[in-house]
Each structure stands twice: as C-alpha cells, then as structure tokens.
Amino acid sequence: MTTALISDIHGNVDALKIVLADIESRGIERIICLGDIIGYGPNPLECVDLVMAKCEFAMLGNHDFAVLYEPTSFNASAEQSCYWTRQQFEKEEDPEKRKKRYTYLGNLSIRKQTEMGLFVHASPRRPINEYIFPDDTLTAPVKMQQIFDRIEQRCFCGHTHVPGVFTDEPDFYPPKDLGGTYTFTDDEKCIINPGSVGQPRDRDPRASYAVMTDEKIEFVRIEYPVQDVADKVSMIPQLNDFLGQRLFDGR
C-alpha cells in the first residue's frame, strides 16, 4: 500500500493543506505523521484537526510534548510560541473540541514498530528530542552505530526538517543525490527523513514530504504561499517575526 509520510508541520496549515491536496491527487489513502504538528506556526488548532482527520497515526514530537507539558531546552522564541500555542488550545470555547484535541495529543505514540519499519519523531535512541544530522555520519560514528543498532531494517523520523536517507555505512544522501528516489535493499539498513511540511531547513522553502511503496521512497516538494504564513506570524505579538521570515529561505 502506498503511504505518504509527513512531518514537522509546526502550525503551518497553508503548507499542510497544499501537501494534503497533492497526496489526494495521487490517490494515496494512507498518511503517517512523524510529529511536531504544532509549535512555531500561526494555525495550531487547524493543523491538529487535519492530522486527526487525515492521518492513520502520528508520532509525538518535542513541540507536541512541550504544549502538553513544558518546553525543555527550547530557545526563547520556541518557548514563547509553545506557551502561545497552549493558549490557543485553552481558548477553545467548545469543551468537546478542546478535550478531543488534548486527548489526541496525549495519546500520540513515542515509538511505533510496524511491518513497514520503526516510526519515531527524532531518533530510535531518543525518540522525542535527539537530532540525527547529516554531518553525524562523519563527526559522530559511534552515535550513528548506536542508533542503527536499535532498528531492524528501516526507520522513519523527522525533527531536523532536512529530507534525505541515512544508511548504515554510515552515510547521508539528500534527495538531489538520489534523483529524488531511494530504492530499498535487503542488505542495507536505512533511516528516512521526509523533511518538513511547515518549516523546511534545507535552504529550499517548498513544503517537503515523501511517498513510500514496498520498493522505494520518493521525496516530493510543493510550493505554498509563504508570504501568507509570514503575514499571519507577524500579526501575532507572541510569535517572533523570525519564525515567519525564515520560511522564505528554508532555514
């Protein structure tokens, strides 16, 4: 069954709607979210509602966790956006909607093993908040070995907002080096990052997601109205303008 992988939406409903429309146009019925539905962006409630309605399951991201509990090791703008996001949940006048959203976030999985592979938000070793950076393949070989020791064959994660494939050589391949598609092989473990829907950080401002079959995974980029999102961020005093401006540069 063909599966769409989305991650790191971060309250950017404009990007999410366009990605979901592209997924639907491909006839894909199964969508999995790798976490960070909220945080940073101006439309957290709408994003949670869409993920609830459209995704087969979703993972718990560090920003989702922070809204439920407390932000840990967040910078000032991320922490402030977390508290503002929580306020939006609390301001919901319909008690059933408020309860449904909180219950959904509270029941998100930290780690989920399926026939497709292992699903986490961050890493198999620390599923909520450990970054796996492309440079780790060169600068942190012990870390990469320990991470690969925790997966059977395939793992799917987000968190860094950088799309690409890690292999157990170890090495990292951005989508452009793969021609946009990675073919699975039985003799190679891999970790797949579909990139970020709502806040890409690979210097490409287009929304990023991935389409997976039994044989391969394809990385997809979609343009969305970045200016509209930046304008909405600028209208919210509790959100740092940088959170909108960074979207233009994909950083």
Side-chain angles (χ1 to χ4, degrees):
M1 182 177 185
T2 302
T3 303
L5 299 175
I6 63 175
S7 190
D8 297 281
I9 300 161
H10 284 293
N12 186 340
V13 75
D14 298 73
L16 178 58
K17 285 181 176 179
I18 287 178
V19 165
L20 290 175
D22 189 71
I23 292 170
E24 183 178 0
S25 73
R26 294 168 181 255
I28 300 171
E29 297 182 355
R30 180 165 62 187
I31 306 173
I32 295 170
C33 176
L34 300 178
D36 275 1
I37 305 166
I38 53 180
Y40 296 135
N43 295 105
L45 304 186
E46 295 91 333
C47 289
V48 171
D49 290 346
L50 280 171
V51 169
M52 278 196 293
K54 299 293 186 179
C55 293
E56 183 172 299
F57 64 83
M59 310 310 299
L60 180 69
N62 58 312
H63 283 260
D64 309 318
F65 178 91
V67 168
L68 283 172
Y69 303 103
E70 291 296 327
T72 302
S73 302
F74 279 24
N75 61 43
S77 63
E79 182 177 281
Q80 192 171 15
S81 75
C82 170
Y83 291 135
W84 175 82
T85 299
R86 186 183 297 167
Q87 289 172 1
Q88 307 318 298
F89 278 78
E90 292 296 328
K91 285 165 59 178
E92 172 58 64
E93 295 181 356
D94 186 331
E96 288 302 315
K97 286 185 177 180
R98 184 167 62 249
K99 179 181 178 180
K100 185 178 180 181
R101 289 168 182 147
Y102 270 130
T103 300
Y104 182 77
L105 288 182
N107 288 331
L108 292 179
S109 299
I110 295 173
R111 180 187 286 106
K112 189 176 183 71
Q113 181 72 49
T114 77
E115 74 283 355
M116 294 177 283
L118 176 65
F119 294 85
V120 296
H121 171 65
S123 87
R125 188 168 66 167
R126 297 174 186 165
I128 294 179
N129 57 19
E130 180 177 46
Y131 291 96
I132 309 177
F133 291 114
D135 287 350
D136 288 340
T137 58
L138 298 175
T139 62
V142 174
K143 169 185 172 180
M144 294 303 298
Q145 181 63 55
Q146 291 176 349
I147 286 172
F148 272 104
D149 284 346
R150 285 166 168 78
I151 68 173
E152 296 178 9
Q153 188 71 38
R154 301 169 192 167
C155 176
F156 307 94
C157 67
H159 197 42
T160 64
H161 303 203
V162 177
V165 179
F166 293 90
T167 64
D168 56 353
E169 293 169 309
D171 212 338
F172 175 78
Y173 299 93
K176 64 180 180 180
D177 289 0
L178 298 166
T181 302
Y182 172 75
T183 301
F184 298 121
T185 60
D186 292 337
D187 60 350
E188 186 172 69
K189 289 185 178 183
C190 62
I191 298 172
I192 309 292
N193 190 321
S196 172
V197 168
Q199 195 187 88
R201 293 182 185 168
D202 61 342
R203 299 293 177 174
D204 184 338
R206 295 175 297 169
S208 179
Y209 80 99
V211 174
M212 179 174 65
T213 65
D214 292 339
E215 296 81 25
K216 64 184 180 179
I217 191 152
E218 174 192 357
F219 294 90
V220 182
R221 301 308 286 253
I222 303 288
E223 292 185 357
Y224 73 94
V226 175
Q227 184 66 61
D228 291 352
V229 183
D231 288 344
K232 285 192 281 187
V233 170
S234 69
M235 295 294 290
I236 301 170
Q238 295 90 340
L239 298 182
N240 192 319
D241 286 351
F242 170 70
L243 299 176
Q245 293 305 310
R246 74 188 304 175
L247 300 176
F248 291 99
D249 300 320
R251 61 187 176 94

